Structure formats: structure tokens, C-alpha cells
């Protein structure tokens, strides 16, 4: 059973923030009896899909560095989901180098037992302290990549580095997926050498630009996107033990659409 689930991108444009926030929102909506935390640990602000201002990790930095434990009562819930808490990314991105891996590790250690599941956005850079700290702590890590040669090659080139850093991916999410593409499902399954149950496909969304303009995720805009997110969210709900805790909803997800 794992509480902390991290999403990491092969490239900067892989769509980690949209997808990880969507997964957190879906789980919170499907299981209102559970407490869900979404946290940005990428070294960037990553607030482009939030309609309301949420406290950033900067707000808690001095407290954690002083050794004062962080608790759920110190965090802020969203107004649109009463069981979803969010910690947004750092406000001054130029200061990302001052955030060490230990800070992310301490944050997750403090909050692990306060929530039923924690979803983390770790961006796509491996030279960021917050991302490294989270990736070394998370029980489950999902890699995001797009349906193109650049992302696939980068993933293959970085595999030795991932192994040296002891980063092991529980699954791969092919984001912005198009059915009619030379990089088909069967080709990607073979190329990535993953078991089918560990490989997820999230379709290209036509409303992506509108979602960004309106500061919200795509869950309420596109049925197909929500169905694809459900597959990822269901795997996390099972791995974190949320399903068994909420038996009434085990076979009946409450959809956004």
C-alpha cells in the first residue's frame, strides 16, 4: 500500500501538471470520504489550472526548516472540493536551487499519515531538489511522455540515470494520445517494454487551451479525457487502499461528466 504517488515527465511539455491535478481532483470527487492532497514539487509555481489562490510551499519552508512538523490543519482546502487540499509550487522560481531534497522528504513525512493519498507533480527536471526529494520518497512513480520520438528517445537515454538514482517507475502514461498516429498502442507497448496493466493512454484534448484560459482542468470539459483519467485514478485508489476504505464506491465511480 502506498500513500505518495508522484508524476514525472520525460519532457517539459509532457503535461504533468494538468494530468496529476486531474487525477487528484478525480479521486477526491469519487471518494468524498477520503482526504486528498495535491502538491507541486517541481521547482515551478504551476498554478495555471487553479481558479483560486492556494498557499505555496514557500509558506511552509521556514517552519519545516526549523523542525516544526506540518499537519493537515496548517493547509488549505479548495472551495470546490471539500476533501482536496493543495500546496502550490514555489512563487519565486529563481530560488528553486535553494530548495533541497530534504525539504520535500520532510513535508511528505509529516503529511503521509494525515491523508489517504498524496498526489505530487514533480515536473520533468532531475536537477531540482524538491523533485528529487519526492521521487526518492514516493511509493509509486508514473512517468509521462508524449507520442513522439523525442520523448521516447529521451526516456531511453535517461533510463541509466533513473536506475542510478534508484527511480523505478510503476507505470507509464502516454499523454496527448492520438489513435491515428504511427506511434500506435501496439508499437508503444513493444517499444516501452511495459506490461499492459502498467501502460495508460490519455487522449489529446481539444479543450486544452480553453482549460488553461479558465484556470481549470479538463475533467469537466471532455468526457473522453475524464474516462482516461479514471483509469489512472482507479489504479492509485486501489494501491493506496482508498477503495477498500470506501466499499460503497468501490464499483461505482462518481464521474465528473
Amino acid at each position: 500500500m502506498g500513500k505518495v504517488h508522484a508524476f514525472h515527465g520525460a519532457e517539459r511539455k509532457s503535461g504533468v501538471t494538468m494530468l496529476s491535478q486531474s487525477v487528484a481532483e478525480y479521486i477526491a470527487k469519487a471518494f468524498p470520504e477520503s482526504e486528498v492532497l495535491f502538491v507541486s514539487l517541481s521547482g515551478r509555481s504551476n498554478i495555471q489550472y487553479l481558479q483560486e489562490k492556494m498557499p505555496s510551499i514557500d509558506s511552509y519552508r521556514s517552519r519545516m526548516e526549523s523542525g516544526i512538523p506540518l499537519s493537515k490543519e496548517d493547509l488549505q482546502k479548495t472551495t470546490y472540493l471539500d476533501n482536496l487540499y493543495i500546496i502550490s509550487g514555489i512563487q519565486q522560481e529563481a530560488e528553486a536551487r535553494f530548495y533541497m531534497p530534504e525539504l520535500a522528504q520532510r513535508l511528505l513525512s509529516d503529511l503521509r499519515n494525515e491523508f489517504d493519498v498524496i498526489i505530487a507533480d514533480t515536473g520533468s527536471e532531475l536537477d531540482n531538489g524538491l523533485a528529487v526529494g519526492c521521487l526518492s520518497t514516493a511509493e509509486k512513480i508514473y512517468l509521462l511522455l508524449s507520442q513522439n520520438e523525442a520523448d521516447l528517445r529521451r526516456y531511453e537515454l535517461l533510463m541509466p540515470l533513473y536506475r542510478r538514482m534508484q527511480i523505478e517507475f510503476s507505470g507509464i502514461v502516454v499523454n496527448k494520445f492520438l489513435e491515428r498516429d504511427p506511434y500506435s498502442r501496439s508499437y508503444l507497448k513493444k517499444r516501452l517494454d511495459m506490461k499492459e496493466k502498467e501502460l495508460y493512454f490519455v487522449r489529446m484534448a481539444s479543450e486544452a487551451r480553453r482549460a488553461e484560459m479558465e484556470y481549470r482542468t479538463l475533467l469537466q470539459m471532455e468526457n473522453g479525457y475524464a474516462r482516461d483519467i479514471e483509469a489512472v485514478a482507479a489504479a492509485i485508489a486501489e494501491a493506496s487502499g482508498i477503495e477498500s476504505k470506501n466499499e460503497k464506491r468501490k464499483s461505482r465511480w462518481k464521474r465528473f461528466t
Side-chain angles (χ1 to χ4, degrees), residues 9-15 143-158 175 191-192:
E11 289 280 6
R12 176 166 285 192
K13 295 296 184 180
S14 297
L143 179 76
L144 263 73
L145 50 79
S146 298
Q147 196 177 10
N148 58 61
E149 185 63 24
D151 275 24
L152 291 169
R153 285 295 302 278
R154 182 169 172 78
Y155 163 69
E156 291 166 345
L157 289 171
L158 286 176
N175 201 22
R191 176 85 175 262
L192 295 169

Side-chain angles (χ1 to χ4, degrees), residues 176-187:
K176 306 175 186 177
F177 180 76
L178 295 170
E179 289 290 353
R180 294 186 177 182
D181 191 280
Y183 291 88
S184 63
R185 290 176 185 262
S186 58
Y187 175 80

Side-chain angles (χ1 to χ4, degrees), residues 116-217:
D116 294 290
V117 64
I118 298 174
I119 306 296
D121 168 8
T122 64
S124 60
E125 304 298 329
L126 289 173
D127 60 352
N128 175 264
L130 292 175
V132 171
C134 179
L135 292 171
S136 66
T137 304
E139 285 90 358
K140 299 281 186 179
I141 305 172
Y142 297 86
L143 179 76
L144 263 73
L145 50 79
S146 298
Q147 196 177 10
N148 58 61
E149 185 63 24
D151 275 24
L152 291 169
R153 285 295 302 278
R154 182 169 172 78
Y155 163 69
E156 291 166 345
L157 289 171
L158 286 176
M159 275 309 297
L161 177 58
Y162 291 139
R163 292 192 184 101
R164 287 198 299 273
M165 296 178 68
Q166 298 183 323
I167 296 173
E168 186 172 335
F169 296 110
S170 305
I172 291 181
V173 181
V174 181
N175 201 22
K176 306 175 186 177
F177 180 76
L178 295 170
E179 289 290 353
R180 294 186 177 182
D181 191 280
Y183 291 88
S184 63
R185 290 176 185 262
S186 58
Y187 175 80
L188 290 169
K189 288 175 184 177
K190 183 177 180 181
R191 176 85 175 262
L192 295 169
D193 192 28
M194 298 286 287
K195 296 177 183 178
E196 186 170 353
K197 67 176 181 178
E198 296 173 326
L199 187 58
Y200 304 91
F201 296 89
V202 177
R203 71 195 67 193
M204 175 73 78
S206 60
E207 297 284 359
R209 295 188 67 182
R210 184 163 72 93
E212 189 168 341
M213 288 174 62
E214 296 178 6
Y215 297 94
R216 58 179 176 148
T217 60

Side-chain angles (χ1 to χ4, degrees), residues 8-34:
H8 192 74
E11 289 280 6
R12 176 166 285 192
K13 295 296 184 180
S14 297
V16 181
T17 301
M18 168 66 83
L19 190 134
S20 55
Q21 185 180 329
S22 295
V23 168
E25 290 179 355
Y26 205 119
I27 293 174
K29 182 75 170 180
F31 298 106
E33 301 89 347
S34 298

Side-chain angles (χ1 to χ4, degrees), residues 55-68:
S56 71
I57 193 170
D58 311 57
S59 308
Y60 311 109
R61 180 183 173 188
S62 60
R63 174 177 180 149
M64 288 187 292
E65 289 180 341
S66 299
I68 303 173

